[in-house]
Amino acid sequence: MAKQTVKILNLQGGGIRGYMSATFLARFCTQAGINPNQLYNAFDLITGTSIGGIQALGYANGKSPSDLLGYMNANAETIFNYGSFEPYFLSRAEYQLAVTMALSGYSYSAFGQTLYSMYQSTGLQTVLTDALGSGTILSALPGKVIITSWDADENLPIFFSNITGFEPFLIGASDNAVSVGLCTSAAPIYFPIQTMNGHKYIDGGVFQNNPVETAFSVARQLYPTATRFCILSVGTGMPTQPLSFDTSYTSAPYNVQFMSYLMNQVFIPGPQQAAQNQMALDSLGIYDDIFTYQFQYQFQAGQDASMDNPDSSNLTALAGYANAQYDTDAAQIANFIEHFNIG
């Protein structure tokens, strides 16, 4: 029987702020009556970028939101580890500027040059291996996934997927799932560029931190008879700080601070919100029934919106923000679940 209703789970990037999206999903599964270890049965397609891509891979492999929260609780400080760089002398913000200026960080070689990252990828690889298995390939995952990345050799956006028949738009069904997770999360400055199959890959957030429109387009092709779509898009919070220059960084050129602003406030949040606005426009169409809900928290002044603070106090705060937003959106969430559970 042809599928009439298609359900999509879209997970946005944001580093450690993925703690918020996992917190939301744990509550959502309870309220919607979803087995949290079988999100791949509740959703026909799961898409994600960076930490969203990592979560998508985990959920497609039978992990629950609580499992992901457990991984972050246990491993965040290892993943975002200063290593030999003393936090007593450099704050994370100062460290990021130093790495941006190639004055500090972990060195690695790419494109015949020595580059620097704030963190190594070894801790993240260990977690991914635990969650996915060292030898698992995408086609072995029970759930359908689409994971974004950027091919730095070809200068092309990449969509890794276990959905076949849509090449070359979707590729990588035989690729190692752990490697794909490292590729989608290789955020510039934060983690080193990843090499897989002779190509160098960067975090998909550089071009599409919110792949909701891609998910919708693929779903329409994958299920051509469908006339009803339920799309749950889960964000990791939106920073709201305006552009300002900190004159206390006397050794940091203002253009370096400007690049930091663009990386954290524009390159990711801008396309992220634009994609969601476009999806909202699509939902106004008269030929399809499209029901969408986006979970997104707006960070307030003084709240830590960084993507790499692993302190337990910050994780507690992120969970609190997520739960507060869930309560604020309670009516919208209940309305979405009502539509979600019809199909």
Side-chain angles (χ1 to χ4, degrees), residues 178-215:
V178 170
S179 296
V180 169
L182 292 172
C183 289
T184 190
S185 55
I189 301 301
Y190 292 97
F191 292 105
I193 293 170
Q194 293 294 314
T195 300
M196 182 174 70
N197 300 331
H199 287 246
K200 296 178 179 63
Y201 293 100
I202 298 173
D203 191 310
V206 299
F207 78 98
Q208 196 175 65
N209 197 59
N210 179 3
V212 64
E213 275 290 327
T214 297

Side-chain angles (χ1 to χ4, degrees), residues 13-127:
I16 196 62
R17 300 199 319 247
Y19 202 86
M20 298 175 70
S21 51
T23 298
F24 163 81
L25 273 175
R27 283 187 65 175
F28 180 86
C29 287
T30 298
Q31 186 173 347
I34 295 172
N35 182 334
N37 290 105
Q38 294 184 7
L39 278 163
Y40 59 84
N41 279 333
F43 292 92
D44 300 292
L45 181 60
I46 305 176
T47 57
T49 293
S50 197
I51 183 60
I54 289 173
Q55 290 183 68
L57 291 167
Y59 300 148
N61 197 43
K63 298 300 180 182
S64 71
S66 294
D67 291 332
L68 270 293
L69 291 171
Y71 283 124
M72 284 186 271
N73 280 320
N75 299 282
E77 292 187 356
T78 300
I79 294 170
F80 298 107
N81 188 352
Y82 276 97
S84 61
F85 308 108
E86 286 289 344
Y88 303 105
F89 299 108
L90 289 177
S91 69
R92 288 187 188 272
E94 291 169 334
Y95 180 41
Q96 182 181 26
L97 283 173
V99 174
T100 302
M101 297 172 67
L103 298 175
S104 186
Y106 293 97
S107 63
Y108 67 98
S109 179
F111 303 104
Q113 302 294 325
T114 298
L115 302 178
Y116 295 86
S117 64
M118 293 178 67
Y119 310 108
Q120 297 174 307
S121 57
T122 49
L124 182 56
Q125 183 173 359
T126 298
V127 175

Side-chain angles (χ1 to χ4, degrees), residues 107-153:
S107 63
Y108 67 98
S109 179
F111 303 104
Q113 302 294 325
T114 298
L115 302 178
Y116 295 86
S117 64
M118 293 178 67
Y119 310 108
Q120 297 174 307
S121 57
T122 49
L124 182 56
Q125 183 173 359
T126 298
V127 175
L128 285 166
T129 301
D130 188 23
L132 302 171
S134 60
T136 303
I137 61 176
L138 291 189
S139 63
L141 299 177
K144 294 183 175 66
V145 294
I146 299 176
I147 310 296
T148 69
S149 189
W150 179 267
D151 187 329
D153 291 301

Side-chain angles (χ1 to χ4, degrees), residues 236-248:
T236 62
M238 294 284 286
T240 56
Q241 297 91 331
L243 173 61
S244 62
F245 292 104
D246 188 342
T247 57
S248 66

